[in-house]
Amino acid sequence: MAFAPMGPEASFFDALDRHRASLLAMVTRGAGETPAGATRVASRFDDSVGLRMIPRCTTRKIRSDSPKSVKKFALILKILSMIYKLIQSDTYATKRSNVHSVLTLHLHRDIYYTDIQLFGNQAAVDSAIDDISCMLKVPRRSLHVLSTSKGLIAGNLRYMEEDGTRVQCTCNATATAVPTNIQGMQHLITDAKFLLIVEKDATFQRLLDDNFCSRMSPCIMVTGKGIPDLNTRLLVKKLWDTFHIPVFTLVDADPYGVEIMCIYKYGSMSMSFEAHNLTIPTIRWLGLLPSDIQRLNVPKDGLIALTKHDQLKLDSLLRRPYITYQPLWKQELEMMADSKMKAEIQALTLLSSDYLSRVYLPNKLRFGGWI
């Protein structure tokens, strides 16, 4: 069954089509995004991949005969023994029981409850699994450990899950949960012109309620509900690798919104060893830009003063190597720093209740208002 054409006329997507053509040319060349005249720096950042682990990085030893690390040593051995059993039996540890013949041993919670005294807390389990992935240089899914998804997806997309279940995402108010096993997704089909990553669930739901997804069809929308979980990042990466459609982010005009956008685009330090499976350096910042706040004369009632934590985060962002490769992003962050103000996406409702879905985003997409 074909996707029903419900969106604007074809000429609306001219800027998007030109952007996609430039992305495809860049993919063909195998090029990164280094600006003219820029030089690569010896750091964890690679402009074509994102944050990645350097070959000769600092390491730490975990010893069985050291009082400081004996508990961590025991914890890792315990989890390794569980992983070995999972691989031997070709089963998976997850919070959901819909992949293979999944054990009742579940990712964080149930592994934790097998030995509360040893593990101490669930965060220790998660940290140990990341350490094991890094040590063995394999992704979590190769350890037969799957994360539970919290993200949502909507729009023009169909696929088949590993167990044969056919899923058709829609543009209506009921979004589809991001699958637990992204690697198991097969036969993906879409005619989407773009993929929009929405930072917050409330904004995502509001866009669905306003029929934005239908009116901008064909498109795909995804939210990680704040800081994205592993599966949401894997899904966005899979969609980019499969279809090479433009990927945009819609985040708050504050340091933490920019941080979340950077996780999708460049990755995170904690998962730098798996950057090539998670990052999409071609992502563009669609909104909310600090310059948009001034350009649109957003009422002062919608602005919030930066806190000390905000200012520290903003200073941290400005010092990061990848900002060197994004001069327009740097200008926006410096504008935020100079104004000492931030704004949430919801501030646009002060202009009109549906300004975001009916004016702001359509104009941005039509006229190429991304950086």
Side-chain angles (χ1 to χ4, degrees):
M1 184 174 67
F3 295 110
M6 301 174 62
E9 58 187 25
S11 61
F12 178 92
F13 296 110
D14 285 350
L16 280 166
D17 290 340
R18 288 193 297 272
H19 178 47
R20 187 186 185 202
S22 69
L23 293 177
L24 289 173
M26 187 171 64
V27 169
T28 302
R29 293 193 309 270
E33 294 190 285
T34 307
T39 56
R40 292 178 182 268
V41 293
S43 71
R44 287 176 174 265
F45 173 67
D46 181 329
D47 60 288
S48 64
V49 177
L51 291 171
R52 63 188 305 178
M53 189 169 65
I54 56 178
R56 291 177 294 277
C57 58
T58 302
T59 59
R60 58 192 172 97
K61 291 183 178 180
I62 299 172
R63 300 164 57 97
S64 62
D65 58 354
S66 169
K68 290 184 178 179
S69 63
V70 63
K71 186 173 180 180
K72 180 81 171 182
F73 185 88
L75 187 151
I76 287 177
L77 277 185
K78 176 80 170 181
I79 294 177
L80 278 170
S81 70
M82 295 176 175
I83 289 169
Y84 176 76
K85 291 174 183 176
L86 291 169
I87 294 172
Q88 285 291 94
S89 59
D90 194 26
T91 50
Y92 287 76
T94 177
K95 283 185 179 177
R96 289 185 183 175
S97 299
N98 64 349
V99 182
H100 287 298
S101 53
V102 183
L103 297 180
T104 55
L105 174 64
H106 297 324
L107 175 53
H108 302 190
R109 187 180 305 157
D110 286 355
I111 290 178
Y112 164 65
Y113 281 121
T114 60
D115 198 329
I116 295 175
Q117 189 173 0
L118 172 61
F119 294 138
N121 56 63
Q122 293 183 31
V125 174
D126 200 32
S127 174
I129 292 170
D130 283 342
D131 286 344
I132 291 168
S133 292
C134 184
M135 179 176 65
L136 299 179
K137 295 182 174 60
V138 296
R140 274 188 182 216
R141 58 190 173 278
S142 295
L143 303 175
H144 282 225
V145 176
L146 302 175
S147 299
T148 298
S149 304
K150 66 171 182 171
L152 298 172
I153 184 168
N156 300 64
L157 178 68
R158 296 198 303 271
Y159 60 88
M160 182 188 294
E161 294 188 342
E162 190 178 24
D163 63 0
T165 302
R166 296 182 182 275
V167 178
Q168 175 152 349
C169 302
T170 65
C171 293
N172 59 36
T174 304
T176 302
V178 170
T180 299
N181 188 358
I182 302 301
Q183 191 179 33
M185 293 174 69
Q186 306 170 50
H187 310 305
L188 286 82
I189 301 173
T190 189
D191 58 351
K193 291 286 189 177
F194 65 93
L195 166 60
L196 179 63
I197 301 170
V198 183
E199 175 191 353
K200 297 189 296 190
D201 183 37
T203 305
F204 180 86
Q205 296 295 340
R206 177 59 191 267
L207 289 173
L208 289 180
D209 291 342
D210 286 352
N211 292 319
F212 170 81
C213 199
S214 296
R215 286 188 288 103
M216 291 296 104
S217 180
C219 68
I220 298 171
M221 292 201 320
V222 171
T223 181
K225 299 183 179 181
I227 297 174
D229 59 279
L230 183 61
N231 285 330
T232 302
R233 293 174 62 189
L234 287 167
L235 172 66
V236 173
K237 173 67 170 176
K238 189 178 187 76
L239 292 173
W240 161 251
D241 286 345
T242 304
F243 302 113
H244 291 125
I245 56 174
V247 182
F248 302 110
T249 55
L250 176 64
V251 299
D252 288 337
D254 66 20
Y256 290 92
V258 176
E259 172 90 293
I260 287 170
M261 175 171 61
C262 289
I263 290 173
Y264 284 105
K265 185 175 176 77
Y266 295 121
S268 59
M269 296 290 280
S270 63
M271 297 293 289
S272 59
F273 64 91
E274 204 180 342
H276 59 285
N277 290 323
L278 294 171
T279 59
I280 307 101
T282 55
I283 281 177
R284 296 294 185 266
W285 187 0
L286 188 64
L288 181 62
L289 304 179
S291 59
D292 290 337
I293 297 170
Q294 297 183 12
R295 179 176 61 85
L296 298 172
N297 292 317
V298 174
K300 291 184 178 180
D301 290 348
L303 306 183
I304 306 168
L306 293 174
T307 65
K308 284 187 177 180
H309 288 297
D310 290 330
Q311 290 173 340
L312 289 171
K313 177 62 70 176
L314 184 53
D315 290 342
S316 170
L317 286 167
L318 284 166
R319 290 194 303 269
R320 294 183 190 181
Y322 45 71
I323 296 301
T324 303
Y325 295 89
Q326 297 291 340
L328 295 180
W329 286 28
K330 187 175 182 181
Q331 288 178 21
E332 295 291 335
L333 294 177
E334 288 173 342
M335 189 178 299
M336 189 190 304
D338 291 341
S339 70
K340 294 182 170 56
M341 303 297 286
K342 62 182 179 179
E344 296 183 339
I345 299 166
Q346 288 86 339
L348 295 178
T349 60
L350 296 174
L351 300 175
S352 72
S353 61
D354 57 357
Y355 191 86
L356 174 67
S357 62
R358 291 197 173 268
V359 181
Y360 181 78
L361 289 177
N363 284 342
K364 284 265 187 172
L365 292 165
R366 182 168 192 171
F367 300 110
W370 52 78
I371 60 174

